[in-house]
Amino acid sequence: TQLLEQSPQFLSIQEGENLTVYCNSSSVFSSLQWYRQEPGEGPVLLVTVVTGGEVKKLKRLTFQFGDARKDSSLHITAAQPGDTGLYLCAGEWGGFKTIFGAGTRLFVKA
Amino acid sequence: GAVVSQHPSWVICKSGTSVKIECRSLDFQATTMFWYRQFPKQSLMLMATSNEGSKATYEQGVEKDKFLINHASLTLSTLTVTSAHPEDSSFYICSARGLDSNQPQHFGDGTRLSIL
């Protein structure tokens, strides 16, 4: 059973389009993280959301944490080819472990 | 920022060989280190959690005799894949967390293991 359901699993869009990636769970998380991973490298932390209803912005990326702290979303505005990569949501579980979602593979065509 | 170094970055070896992967925290003391495995086009799956000076805690389905983890110091953890077989071929990633549990964990760049 996947604790964190991430969707879509794959997304191929044109440069300039907007997109949203969702991360859902039936469990409450104390915090959720979003990572981006390039092939052959470790994941790089983009943001951590902690407070229910929180919204954080990182240039063209907007992150939301659900009021109940069970879900989160990542919205990218005007996607660029440089945004291509694997986006992973992750949540703190059992007080110290990090559990990852299945990931969303994004491909932005020029 | 905090840096975690993983070595080697890529290893190819024959079936039956044991392979050791090192994970070092370069500028902080890592009280807890995590080992993940990632198969192609899949997400990271937690294998085990190790705390300095104590035995590692393995996730369900991960063979502790197959994947030996040692966390002998606050800056070094090692994962040894014993008698590796082709099905052990994967991308292995470590991460480390310091004393402050409110701080995020820091990831290494991973080790690509290919068993022939």
Side-chain angles (χ1 to χ4, degrees):
Chain A
T1 303
Q2 193 81 27
L3 281 173
L4 281 171
E5 299 285 343
Q6 198 171 331
S7 62
Q9 291 189 24
F10 182 79
L11 196 54
S12 179
I13 61 173
Q14 289 292 140
E15 182 177 6
E17 292 183 5
N18 302 330
L19 67 115
T20 303
V21 178
Y22 299 94
C23 183
N24 298 296
S25 176
S26 57
S27 303
V28 175
F29 287 90
S30 57
S31 67
L32 275 179
Q33 293 82 43
W34 285 92
Y35 292 85
R36 179 179 160 184
Q37 186 182 23
E38 302 285 353
E41 298 180 9
V44 175
L45 179 66
L46 296 174
V47 78
T48 298
V49 285
V50 178
T51 307
E54 183 176 7
V55 176
K56 282 190 174 179
K57 290 196 173 185
L58 187 65
K59 295 184 181 179
R60 293 178 293 101
L61 278 60
T62 302
F63 305 86
Q64 282 191 302
F65 199 14
D67 291 339
R69 291 186 289 131
K70 293 183 179 181
D71 55 86
S72 181
S73 65
L74 157 61
H75 182 80
I76 300 179
T77 304
Q80 299 175 1
D83 295 328
T84 294
L86 178 66
Y87 290 84
L88 298 157
C89 69
E92 192 97 348
W93 182 255
F96 59 93
K97 293 193 295 189
T98 296
I99 304 297
F100 282 84
T104 295
R105 195 163 295 278
L106 172 65
F107 181 66
V108 183
K109 294 175 281 189
Chain B
V3 178
V4 172
S5 173
Q6 202 170 326
H7 178 79
S9 56
W10 201 346
V11 58
I12 302 173
C13 58
K14 293 181 179 179
S15 184
T17 307
S18 291
V19 179
K20 181 185 284 188
I21 302 170
E22 292 187 349
C23 181
R24 291 181 186 274
S25 58
L26 298 185
D27 55 357
F28 68 102
Q29 293 183 325
T31 51
T32 305
M33 285 187 169
F34 304 89
W35 286 95
Y36 296 85
R37 181 168 52 183
Q38 185 177 29
F39 291 109
K41 300 189 188 299
Q42 294 187 23
S43 187
L44 282 73
M45 296 300 294
L46 180 65
M47 298 175 66
T49 303
S50 74
N51 292 294
E52 185 266 337
S54 61
K55 289 184 179 180
T57 302
Y58 290 81
E59 295 300 303
Q60 192 172 11
V62 178
E63 300 174 57
K64 61 180 181 181
D65 295 329
K66 173 78 172 176
F67 299 99
L68 301 178
I69 291 172
N70 184 284
H71 192 164
S73 77
L74 283 172
T75 59
L76 174 65
S77 176
T78 60
L79 166 67
T80 301
V81 184
T82 61
S83 187
H85 292 285
E87 58 266 28
D88 298 322
S89 298
S90 187
F91 193 52
Y92 292 86
I93 306 173
C94 73
S95 69
R97 172 171 284 158
L99 289 169
D100 186 354
S101 59
N102 290 321
Q103 292 299 313
Q105 57 187 301
H106 302 279
F107 285 85
D109 277 339
T111 296
R112 183 159 301 284
L113 175 63
S114 296
I115 308 297
L116 305 177

